[in-house]
Amino acid sequence: MTTPASLAAMHQAASLKKQVIEALRTAILEGRFQPGDRLVEREICEMFQVSRTLLREALSQLAAEGILQIIPHRGPIVAIYTAEDARSIYELRATLEEMAGRCFAERATEAEHKALESAFAAFRKASRGKPGSDLLLVKTAFYAALTAGAHNPMLEDMLRMIHWRVTMLRAHTLSQPGRLAKSLGEIGDIMEAIARRDPEAAGQACRRHVMNAAAIADAVLTAKEAERDRPVRKRGTKETSARDKVAAAPPAGEPRLARM
């Protein structure tokens, strides 16, 4: 029989795992770890004062999200996405989000329309600053509102599966000159079609937005692949530890990463 003490221990372990996941995810999405960087389990265990078993559960979750890759005999590294990977991800995303736009225009309630409008207003506000984790978070919130109003749980689950992969790639696309303004305009087109309750126009606007982002991601990653064989660090250069990267102060307005 499960006792209150064992239930409390299970709750504490779940809470610790969640904190580790959120801390590492934030550090990666903010660019403190770069694609291919190795995460040293010993350092992270010491930092959060968690067991290796609990840490590996957290790392497995991040790997399932597409943020990490677990390499045999090497351990976890920040996921590396190729141009081919990006094409596959955006191809699937375009189809799913086109459907989400259509379904939202047909099925969303007034409350869900207002929630989407609020999410879009937050994205507009965040877009006035420098692209960063705040912008990624508000755009993620916009898509969460869009899929919620589509009223298709299977569609929502499938989009969630590629959500973090897209977020990793979005950091590349939104940082390109002029892309943020274009992205804002494209989402504005989605909002206008949805306001008219025009499923066809909403779906096409969603697809157009995704394919424009796909073209930029393809160009950026293709260029990175061409430079992959160039040396990235001189001999003797000191590496920053995982502890320093994870514990770096977050931007103003974001919670500090927990130390346990």
Side-chain angles (χ1 to χ4, degrees):
M1 178 181 292
T2 303
T3 65
S6 61
L7 285 173
M10 290 169 60
H11 177 76
Q12 182 181 26
S15 178
L16 283 171
K17 184 172 76 170
K18 182 178 179 181
Q19 288 185 48
V20 174
I21 290 171
E22 291 179 351
L24 291 175
R25 184 193 290 130
T26 299
I28 292 167
L29 295 180
E30 288 180 349
R32 283 181 250 148
F33 289 99
Q34 294 299 309
D37 279 358
R38 179 170 172 258
L39 302 184
V40 180
E41 291 185 6
R42 174 181 51 79
E43 292 183 0
I44 300 172
C45 284
E46 290 176 357
M47 177 179 179
F48 290 98
Q49 292 296 295
V50 295
S51 69
R52 184 156 290 191
T53 298
L54 187 148
L55 175 62
R56 287 180 175 173
E57 290 177 2
L59 295 176
S60 294
Q61 173 64 36
L62 291 171
E65 293 176 0
I67 292 177
L68 296 180
Q69 294 170 337
I70 310 297
I71 309 298
H73 311 300
R74 188 182 176 193
I77 67 168
V78 178
I80 300 172
Y81 285 100
T82 65
E84 184 177 357
D85 293 332
R87 284 190 287 271
S88 297
I89 291 169
Y90 278 106
E91 183 177 36
L92 177 58
R93 180 189 168 198
T95 298
L96 294 175
E97 288 190 10
E98 178 178 359
M99 183 177 177
R102 290 175 185 273
C103 290
F104 190 101
E106 291 174 343
R107 305 171 182 173
T109 65
E110 288 300 325
E112 288 164 341
H113 274 268
K114 290 180 180 178
L116 190 68
E117 289 166 5
S118 295
F120 181 50
F123 177 57
R124 278 202 312 262
K125 182 178 179 180
S127 69
R128 296 171 192 152
K130 183 179 179 181
S133 58
D134 281 348
L135 188 62
L136 295 177
L137 287 171
V138 294
K139 196 162 190 194
T140 295
F142 174 84
Y143 285 112
L146 181 69
T147 55
H151 291 275
N152 184 321
M154 186 62 69
L155 172 64
E156 193 168 3
D157 286 345
M158 293 180 71
L159 277 169
R160 190 178 295 114
M161 287 175 61
I162 65 169
H163 165 79
W164 293 115
R165 293 169 174 82
V166 171
T167 301
M168 295 280 283
L169 294 167
R170 194 174 286 144
H172 292 298
T173 59
L174 289 179
S175 63
Q176 298 306 300
R179 176 55 193 161
L180 182 54
K182 290 181 180 179
S183 180
L184 192 61
E186 290 161 8
I187 295 179
D189 292 340
I190 296 171
M191 294 299 297
E192 289 180 7
I194 284 175
R196 299 196 306 271
R197 300 183 185 275
D198 185 336
E200 177 68 21
Q204 289 303 311
C206 286
R207 172 171 285 275
R208 186 164 54 250
H209 172 60
V210 173
M211 297 314 296
N212 286 341
I216 294 174
D218 185 71
V220 170
L221 291 173
T222 298
K224 286 182 180 294
E225 289 169 13
E227 298 176 357
R228 184 167 294 169
D229 293 332
R230 295 182 184 180
V232 295
R233 184 181 293 113
K234 295 181 180 179
R235 289 184 178 180
T237 301
K238 183 180 179 181
E239 289 192 28
T240 304
S241 70
R243 176 186 293 275
D244 293 336
K245 290 179 178 180
V246 175
E254 292 189 7
R256 291 188 173 274
L257 304 180
R259 284 179 180 266
M260 302 308 296

